Amino acid sequence: MAAQQEPQQETYPPPPDLARDAVAQPELYERADADRLAFWHDQAKELLSWETEPTEVLDWSRAPFARWFADGRLNVAHNCVDRHVEAGHGDRVAIHWEGEPGDRRSITYAELGREVRRAANALEALGVRRGDRVALYLPMIPEAVVAMLACARIGAPHSVVFGGFSADALRSRVDDAEAVVVVTADGGYRRGAPAGLKANVDEALGDPARGGGSVRTVLVVRRTGQDVGWDDDRDVWWHDAVDGASEEHEAPALEAEHPLFILYTSGTTGKPKGILHTSGGYLTQAAYTHRNVFDVRPESDVYWCAADIGWVTGHSYIVYGPLANGVTQVMYEGTPDTPTRERWWEVVERYGVTLLYTAPTTVRTFMKWGAELLEGHDLSSLRLIGSVGEPINPEAWTWYRTHVGSGRTPVVDTWWQTETGAIMISPLPGVTTTKPGSAQRTLPGISAAVLDDAGEPVTDGQAGYLVLTEPWPSMLRGIWGDDDRYVETYWSRFPGRYFAGDGARLDEDGDVWLLGRVDDVMNVSGHRLSTAEIESALVSHHRVAEAAVVGASDDTTGQAVCAFVILRAREDAEDAEDAEDEGVGGEDGEALVAELRDHVAKEIGPIAKPRQVLVVAELPKTRSGKIMRRLLRDVAEGRETGDVTTLADSSVMGTIRAGMGGPA
Ligand code: WTA
């Protein structure tokens, strides 16, 4: 990582009226600095309703395994729905949902409560007990929210698997969590067509010899009406199980540390990690960050987080944070270009969206499509816009503020991770003078540092490793079934401090600039992908002997997957047909590259499909056999190759370049 000198940037102080009225005022930092644990204790009590209020705050005696508010008891679903109805807000719309084909539903808090209680009864009737895991594999439909809350209500941790993942990816996640029920849909709409989900579930669970054996029931929402295969012993329609269920359901008071969900994310090895989150601390920080970072006014705001429920952003900022705060939100099923590239701006206008939260990759896509598409739309309702998922470059930040924020709204660039559960570093919109491209400061109650290799704080604006120096309420409680990996991955690089895996730099004001991942994790369109996982998918193809994957920078997606593969020698090829192939050049080479790209999509999901697959004769390796991805990244990004002195064979890079017709 080289420390970059950022150009002299314009900065943006908070609008004066917001500085005066904002939910979060400068004293929030003062309160947190004065007594961090008392501060979190107050947040927990002020923002949530507890069956038994906690008297304990943090138990760090078994560090790094934290317990927060451990003697408190609460029900997360009650906090997200019922209590708002009890407070007289039952008629407030919780979700304005819009399907991609244009169908719409507005669901009040009272209606959402009834649906959640029915679904909770239905899950219990199917034998789901407290502590059982339920996998959800769903499109962006209201039932996804209902199912998550129903699980939370009965204390059955959910494991949401992104609907774009393949059958294999679903199976491995179902197996790791030993889920007893899978909730899915026949399909969902994407880019104007119904995409199947149930078929993938059938493939994932169809052959018990391969896995999926823990699943007793598949609950299927009818969304698209497409034909689906059916197993009478296993499959149940959602409407048959839920619609007739009682809408009376007593929410049990669960321990603050009761597991709320598992969410799988990519790490540096091929095996995804099941990140475990629990109830009281998670909900406290999700509600606290949502309220203060987005300056939420539940009576008047219309909030829209355009993430998918399959990622942590959908968990914390579509489901738990916004609903705990009782806000009205928009939920949209499909892609931004269906039926036209103006879809988003129509949605903003239709519902009068005031707060918008999306990813830099989407902003860059809109930039590419052109600002004209926004011009015919009234976006004056927007008063604050947020960014998450990857570093936002200053150009995209400025474009976002100018064209989406009409040149006046604050932009909040929020840094966090699946593991942190909630936002950690972000401006506060009524307090912070924003700088395009910087996530700026740790939120009140959060402590971070940037360290060098030796674990010393960096100075003079040099790049280093971002660490979190104190435990926080919504921190992961571990990796499902693998305590050692939790300690090893996050707490061993700098003992006593949480290693985030991101590079960062502090500027002269102490503001944080994120520089991207420092490990073998790529960030493609804000989605985390592991190089090792894609490499093992490639190697599982019978033509591939060895593969190396790197994330090369990409103008739209941030990073793009670039794969370098060495093919097996002819005589090794298992498939008889291949024996007839001659070499890999020309049409045959193109066909093979297409096949390899599809193979990765099939193994992991379309998001992991490499942008490029380059067939090479050798890979650059160190004397100890480690692939030097840095050099491959130079090739993929069209740069001159950096220092090659640690290569076992220094001529390899020349061979690779020569094979590609590029400069050696
Ligand atoms: C990256 C998504 C820069 C970072 C919430 C992190 C960011 C990873 C930002 C987590 C940001 C997320 N600026 N980088 N504002 N937000 N990242 O687990 O590399 O899907 O480690 O959580 O995304 O991705 P995850």
Side-chain angles (χ1 to χ4, degrees), residues 102-343:
D103 44 340
R104 295 177 207 156
R105 279 168 73 186
S106 289
I107 302 166
T108 64
Y109 273 94
E111 288 165 340
L112 183 62
R114 285 194 285 276
E115 279 303 299
V116 171
R117 292 192 298 272
R118 283 200 190 101
N121 281 319
L123 288 174
E124 287 182 335
L126 291 170
V128 180
R129 297 285 165 259
R130 189 175 300 178
D132 286 349
R133 274 81 60 203
V134 175
L136 311 186
Y137 186 63
L138 285 160
M140 284 289 289
I141 55 178
E143 287 81 358
V145 179
V146 171
M148 288 167 77
L149 292 171
C151 288
R153 189 171 187 102
I154 66 175
H158 54 70
S159 162
V160 182
V161 179
F162 174 55
F165 276 130
S166 67
D168 283 342
L170 173 64
R171 183 195 302 115
S172 64
R173 286 158 175 78
V174 162
D175 283 347
D176 188 72
E178 296 171 281
V180 297
V181 170
V182 177
V183 185
T184 188
D186 47 1
Y189 289 96
R190 257 194 111 63
R191 298 226 151 74
L197 288 168
K198 173 67 163 60
N200 287 348
V201 176
D202 292 344
E203 188 185 334
L205 307 181
D207 177 0
R210 297 182 66 198
S214 56
V215 175
R216 295 191 304 258
T217 310
V218 177
L219 199 51
V220 188
V221 179
R222 184 177 278 149
R223 164 67 186 132
T224 59
Q226 70 202 95
D227 283 339
V228 290
W230 204 258
D231 176 343
D232 283 327
D233 297 329
R234 189 198 66 187
D235 300 344
V236 180
W237 284 110
W238 170 277
H239 52 259
D240 287 340
V242 175
D243 290 0
S246 163
E247 56 181 61
E248 303 296 320
H249 184 275
E250 179 94 23
L254 301 174
E255 287 181 9
E257 283 297 340
H258 189 79
L260 179 61
F261 65 85
I262 304 167
L263 183 59
Y264 288 84
T265 187
S266 295
T268 50
T269 71
K271 190 178 182 301
K273 302 177 281 200
I275 303 300
L276 174 66
H277 283 286
T278 60
S279 303
Y282 170 80
L283 196 64
T284 297
Q285 196 175 330
Y288 158 78
T289 50
H290 180 254
R291 181 176 137 84
N292 290 293
V293 171
F294 294 99
D295 188 53
V296 166
R297 327 283 173 110
E299 325 73 47
S300 53
D301 273 321
V302 179
Y303 163 83
W304 182 18
C305 167
D308 190 282
I309 229 130
W311 309 111
V312 76
T313 306
H315 284 60
S316 303
Y317 298 105
I318 294 177
V319 182
Y320 294 110
L323 295 177
N325 289 333
V327 76
T328 294
Q329 71 176 312
V330 168
M331 181 176 175
Y332 170 58
E333 179 185 30
T335 57
D337 53 356
T338 309
T340 73
R341 291 175 168 183
E342 289 171 57
R343 183 62 182 264

Side-chain angles (χ1 to χ4, degrees), residues 265 311-313 357 360 387-392 413-420 425 437 439 500-503 514-517 521 523 526-528:
T265 187
W311 309 111
V312 76
T313 306
Y357 194 27
S387 172
V388 60
E390 50 178 318
I392 181 162
D413 174 14
T414 62
W415 179 89
W416 59 293
Q417 311 177 295
T418 305
E419 292 88 340
T420 69
I425 304 178
D502 277 35
L514 275 313
L515 302 173
R517 301 287 306 189
V521 173
N523 192 322
H527 302 323
R528 271 165 75 168

